[in-house]
Amino acid sequence: MPHYTTTVHTTMLEIITDDSLDAASLAQACQRNLAWVQARVIDGVLTPSTGTRNPEAVASWRFAATCIVRARRLALLEHTYEADPQLAAMTVDLMEEVLELRRRLRQH
């Protein structure tokens, strides 16, 4: 079985409060363009905390800081494995669920 490794580089460290990211900032944090974020929101893969997925409201979209992790995972899976966005999203959902279950196990 082949073994894949991936390196993620970050160039900026900033304290981000919830709902402070606009779509352009999220795109930049994932090293993607605004159209990438728009497409993921329209498909329901990323969810703005403002509640609307209307592409005409992109200027008013705000994202929680925790969305950066999800968006970066999506971008990485799509890029590394040439995964379809929906498949990448399902994979990220499973990753998040496993992390949540592990967290619960540690509490007990």
Side-chain angles (χ1 to χ4, degrees), residues 2-82:
H3 178 71
Y4 299 96
T5 59
T6 304
T7 304
V8 177
H9 299 280
T10 57
T11 58
M12 147 178 90
L13 177 62
E14 177 181 344
I15 303 298
I16 301 174
T17 59
D18 277 349
D19 304 333
S20 65
L21 287 171
D22 61 13
S25 297
L26 181 61
Q28 182 180 12
C30 299
Q31 299 178 339
R32 297 292 180 259
N33 59 32
L34 183 58
W36 183 88
V37 172
Q38 286 177 300
R40 299 319 172 271
V41 169
I42 292 166
D43 290 344
V45 173
L46 293 174
T47 305
S49 54
T50 50
T52 182
R53 290 187 357 210
N54 181 352
E56 295 174 10
V58 68
S60 66
W61 287 347
R62 293 292 175 267
F63 297 88
T66 55
C67 193
I68 291 176
V69 174
R70 179 176 178 81
R72 284 183 174 171
R73 284 180 178 152
L74 285 168
L76 183 63
L77 286 169
E78 289 175 21
H79 175 75
T80 304
Y81 302 106
E82 297 180 11

Side-chain angles (χ1 to χ4, degrees), residues 89-102:
M90 184 177 69
T91 304
V92 171
D93 288 344
L94 291 171
M95 292 167 71
E96 290 170 350
E97 184 66 24
V98 167
L99 289 170
E100 175 60 21
L101 290 171
R102 286 179 179 164

